[in-house]
């Protein structure tokens, strides 16, 4: 069971880069983008992270925090963040607790074999902790810009829905 649009997102605390912990409730008063990606340092995930990195100042102006999440260990997340100069925290969700909260673990096929993995997905949480928007099965090209526009509209109080 995952959270639905308009519902309060259950609080969570997760291990993040920079030897930090991120607790959702501590971000109240700011909007939060939580984007899930399959694996650190792979081409699509690098492109997606770079697109968010390059728009961070605009997300900041829209009172929005960016958090990237994958099942990679903290060392892999630290290396990914450093190599790509990401200016936001990456969460190591090895136990999949955050992934399960947002229901992003899906059966995937790779080279004819099935496995469970992260479905590339993004969630926009409003400043009061409610889920405002979700994007599932994300295609990387243009995605960060679309999320930014939704965050800007939400910050202005006039979020348009699809």
């Amino acid at each position: 069971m995952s959270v639905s649009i308009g519902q309060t997102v259950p609080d969570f605390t997760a291990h993040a880069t920079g030897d930090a912990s991120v607790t959702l409730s501590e971000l109240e008063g700011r909007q939060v983008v939580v984007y899930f990606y399959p694996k650190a340092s792979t081409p699509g995930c690098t492109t997606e992270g770079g697109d968010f990195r390059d728009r961070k100042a605009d997300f900041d102006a829209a009172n929005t925090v960016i958090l990237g999440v994958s099942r990679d260990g903290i060392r892999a997340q630290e290396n990914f963040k450093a190599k790509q100069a990401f200016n936001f925290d990456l969460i190591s969700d090895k136990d999949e607790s955050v992934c399960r909260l947002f229901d992003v673990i899906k059966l995937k096929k790779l080279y004819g074999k099935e496995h469970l993995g992260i479905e590339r997905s993004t969630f926009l949480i409003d400043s009061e902790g409610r889920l405002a928007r979700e994007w599932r099965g994300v295609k990387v090209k243009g995605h960060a810009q679309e999320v930014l526009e939704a965050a800007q509209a939400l910050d202005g109080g006039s979020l348009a829905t699809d």
Side-chain angles (χ1 to χ4, degrees):
M1 170 95 183
S2 67
V3 67
S4 300
I5 300 291
Q7 287 185 330
T8 298
V9 177
D11 198 19
F12 64 84
T13 299
H15 191 60
T17 48
D19 201 27
S21 287
V22 172
T23 301
L24 183 62
S25 61
E26 291 176 0
L27 299 173
E28 191 166 331
R30 300 195 66 194
Q31 299 175 160
V32 181
V33 167
V34 181
Y35 82 93
F36 292 86
Y37 56 95
K39 187 157 181 58
S41 300
T42 56
C45 299
T46 298
T47 299
E48 183 178 28
D51 288 347
F52 278 108
R53 175 198 61 218
D54 296 346
R55 290 166 175 76
K56 184 171 183 303
D58 294 326
F59 277 102
D60 288 345
N63 191 36
T64 305
V65 174
I66 302 167
L67 299 172
V69 182
S70 78
R71 299 184 304 177
D72 294 290
I74 197 65
R75 178 177 286 163
Q77 297 288 48
E78 292 284 4
N79 291 341
F80 188 36
K81 180 178 179 176
K83 186 173 182 182
Q84 300 303 324
F86 291 155
N87 46 12
F88 52 86
D89 284 320
L90 300 179
I91 290 173
S92 172
D93 192 33
K94 286 187 77 89
D95 69 358
E96 300 178 356
S97 59
V98 180
C99 290
R100 284 193 304 273
L101 178 66
F102 289 92
D103 191 28
V104 299
I105 301 294
K106 304 292 181 186
L107 191 60
K108 300 169 87 176
K109 248 187 192 163
L110 184 65
Y111 305 119
K113 297 200 186 277
E114 291 185 336
H115 69 283
L116 289 175
I118 291 179
E119 175 186 49
R120 192 180 306 276
S121 305
T122 302
F123 301 87
L124 176 60
I125 302 167
D126 72 16
S127 60
E128 295 176 1
R130 292 183 305 259
L131 184 61
R133 288 282 301 268
E134 65 178 25
W135 295 263
R136 293 183 181 271
V138 166
K139 302 293 182 228
V140 172
K141 186 174 169 75
H143 177 64
Q145 182 62 36
E146 183 181 350
V147 175
L148 173 61
E149 290 168 6
Q152 290 169 330
L154 183 60
D155 188 48
S158 60
L159 181 63
T161 56
D162 293 345

